[in-house]
């Protein structure tokens, strides 16, 4: 497997970044089918309203033709106003429903995404070589086959519809005009539903294909995932250096507190813990510093330089190192052992005085 081959699923960060750029999963066929079906249903619901509005406009035209001769400008102005009014009454409900359906279907797929990233000019789109490659890409071939399949289905359905109505057309001559128009409109609506069902199935396949293509384009190589991890978490080497620096700074602050200690409890070479006890401010002895091996020797050395008593107590030193935290009071289970050390320290101070 090649080093840079994109075989891994996209990370959440990659998906968020692509979404900000406007690169999202989207099926135009799904929007078209929703708009078409909503348009058919609204047109069927408003058919009587549209017929009445059209009838009223035609009636106005006939009355205008029978009226006494008027100026051409007045006739044209009145006819144009009446046409706009009739067109608004008949077409606006359908147009509004179709527009809302298109917006809803779009936002349902984009999850309310609004971005201007796609509108920014990109000069690589003007590259004729890239355009030539896109023209003969697998995606263009699939789109061409899909459109050809749509046209074929549409022609087949229309041919079947006309074929079935050839005999019925002759019977319309002996049928009431209203009944003939109603039957013809119902037949057209059934044809529209057949087209809608067929295009809905195609839209389902297109949604699956667009999702598969989108996921394929988002795939990442192992190197890209590693680089993204470095960008998010930082270079491990840099992080290690930062932690080392932080550790040294913490040790330096801890060592600065050793001269304030009252006693240092040590294991001869492995552990050392510096304790402070001020009855007026401390409820119990407080750990100012603790360390192991080399750090323990440094604590002892600083304590000796500052004339702080160093007590050698192996089990207590181990217990203090294991169970205490810096700048915190010792746990209650160590009160007795530490109290013995404090008493010993008090006796030494009294003897020196």
């Amino acid at each position: 497997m090649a080093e840079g081959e994109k075989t891994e699923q996209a990370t959440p960060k990659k998906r968020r970044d692509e979404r900000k750029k406007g690169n999202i999963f989207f099926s135009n066929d799904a929007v078209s089918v929703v708009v078409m079906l909503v348009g058919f249903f609204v047109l069927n619901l408003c058919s009587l309203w549209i017929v009445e509005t059209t009838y009223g406009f035609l009636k106005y035209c006939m009355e205008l033709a029978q009226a006494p001769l008027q100026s051409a400008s007045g006739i044209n102005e009145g006819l144009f106003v009446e046409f706009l009014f009739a067109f608004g009454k008949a077409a606006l409900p359908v147009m509004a429903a179709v527009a809302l359906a298109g917006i809803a279907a779009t936002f349902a797929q984009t999850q309310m995404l609004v971005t201007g990233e796609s509108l920014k000019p990109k000069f690589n789109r003007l590259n004729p070589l890239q355009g030539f490659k896109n023209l003969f890409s697998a995606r263009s071939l699939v789109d061409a086959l899909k459109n050809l399949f749509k046209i074929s289905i549409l022609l087949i359905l229309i041919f079947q519809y006309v074929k079935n109505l050839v005999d019925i057309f002759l019977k319309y001559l002996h049928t009431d005009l209203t009944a003939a128009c109603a039957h013809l409109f119902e037949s057209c609506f059934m044809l529209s539903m057949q087209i809608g069902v067929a295009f809905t199935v195609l839209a389902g396949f297109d949604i699956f294909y667009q999702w598969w293509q989108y996921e394929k384009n988002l795939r990442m190589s192992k190197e890209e995932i590693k680089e993204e991890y470095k960008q998010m978490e930082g270079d491990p080497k840099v992080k290690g250096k930062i932690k080392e620096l932080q550790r040294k700074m913490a040790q330096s602050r801890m060592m600065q507190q050793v001269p304030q200690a009252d006693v240092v409890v040590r294991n001869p070479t492995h552990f050392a813990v510096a304790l402070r006890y001020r009855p007026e401010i401390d409820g119990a002895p407080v750990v100012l510093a603790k360390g192991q091996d080399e750090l323990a020797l440094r604590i002892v050395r600083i304590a000796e330089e500052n004339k702080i008593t160093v007590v050698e107590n192996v089990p207590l030193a181990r217990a203090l190192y294991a169970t205490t935290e810096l700048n915190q009071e010792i746990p209650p289970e160590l009160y007795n052992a530490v109290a013995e050390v404090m008493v010993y320290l008090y006796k030494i101070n009294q003897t020196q005085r």
Side-chain angles (χ1 to χ4, degrees), residues 1-11 14-15 215-226:
M1 186 176 295
E3 180 70 20
E5 188 174 353
K6 297 184 177 182
T7 58
E8 307 301 316
Q9 293 293 330
T11 60
K14 175 70 177 293
R15 294 180 183 275
E215 291 293 329
K216 180 182 177 182
N217 293 335
L218 282 185
R219 286 179 185 173
M220 304 172 65
S221 64
K222 295 182 183 296
E223 289 299 320
E224 289 176 337
I225 293 178
K226 291 179 181 178

Side-chain angles (χ1 to χ4, degrees), residues 268-281:
T269 57
H270 296 296
F271 300 101
V273 180
L275 300 176
R276 182 199 70 194
Y277 181 57
R278 301 287 189 271
E280 62 275 9
I281 60 174

Side-chain angles (χ1 to χ4, degrees), residues 150-166:
K150 286 181 185 178
I151 295 174
S152 300
I153 291 178
L154 186 63
L155 291 177
I156 291 173
L157 290 176
I158 293 176
F159 175 76
Q160 292 292 335
Y161 170 75
V162 173
K163 180 181 178 181
N164 294 333
L165 285 182
V166 168

Side-chain angles (χ1 to χ4, degrees), residues 288-342:
L288 297 183
K290 67 176 186 176
Q292 184 178 6
D293 297 331
E294 182 182 352
L295 189 58
L297 296 177
R298 289 177 57 192
I299 293 174
V300 171
R301 184 172 66 251
I302 294 174
E304 291 174 345
E305 291 173 356
N306 289 273
K307 295 181 170 45
I308 296 172
T309 304
V310 178
V311 177
E312 188 172 312
N313 188 325
V314 175
L316 180 58
R318 289 179 176 273
L320 285 171
Y321 184 84
T323 61
T324 60
E325 298 292 337
L326 286 176
N327 300 315
Q328 299 293 325
E329 295 180 353
I330 64 173
E333 56 267 21
L334 297 179
Y335 282 177
N336 291 334
V338 174
E340 292 178 0
V341 173
M342 291 300 176

